[in-house]
Amino acid sequence: MPRYLALYTPDKSAQPTPEHMHQMGEMMQRQMQAGKLISTGGLKKRDTHGLRVSRRNGKTSVEEGGAPWAAASGWAILQANSREELVADIEEFLAFAGDGVSEIIELSESPPQ
């Protein structure tokens, strides 16, 4: 079953209420039990907690701060049998999380060792 990385960026950042967190936890538990949600977590702000390591022409450089275009605040590893199922699961998540964007990237399996 294909797996996906979902990166969520809210339109505005607000502290969720305890009730909202409880409802989100219940939804996440249902998704985990159904085998759709593999893992999830938050992301710290890239400008204060991130860095970029790059290599050009054999030389490595390290810069403080993450990619300036990256603003996601949470991530999840999901799996779904179809694109339609995946979109339905993301729609359910966004109904709880609120307005924002969830970027979805299909993951490649590592070649066997």
Side-chain angles (χ1 to χ4, degrees):
M1 184 179 313
R3 288 190 175 187
Y4 305 87
L5 171 64
L7 298 172
Y8 173 65
T9 305
D11 280 353
K12 48 185 160 170
S13 185
Q15 188 67 16
T17 65
E19 178 182 339
H20 184 256
M21 289 300 293
H22 178 74
Q23 292 171 341
M24 180 69 81
E26 287 179 342
M27 187 221 34
M28 289 169 47
Q29 187 66 30
R30 283 194 311 277
Q31 294 286 17
M32 284 183 160
Q33 288 173 345
K36 296 179 175 191
L37 176 61
I38 307 304
S39 185
T40 189
L43 297 170
K44 292 186 175 184
K45 292 187 181 284
R46 285 161 182 74
D47 56 350
T48 54
H49 294 96
L51 56 96
R52 290 176 285 172
V53 180
S54 57
R55 181 176 176 193
R56 300 278 186 274
N57 299 318
K59 298 201 185 241
T60 301
S61 65
V62 178
E63 297 175 65
E64 293 297 318
W69 49 264
S73 65
W75 61 271
I77 304 294
L78 308 168
Q79 59 183 17
N81 289 311
S82 67
R83 184 179 189 100
E84 294 77 19
E85 181 182 315
L86 177 66
V87 169
D89 292 341
I90 296 299
E91 287 176 337
E92 181 182 6
F93 165 76
L94 289 172
F96 280 98
D99 291 348
V101 175
S102 192
E103 180 184 4
I104 309 300
I105 306 161
E106 188 168 354
L107 301 174
S108 298
E109 294 296 321
S110 300
Q113 299 290 326

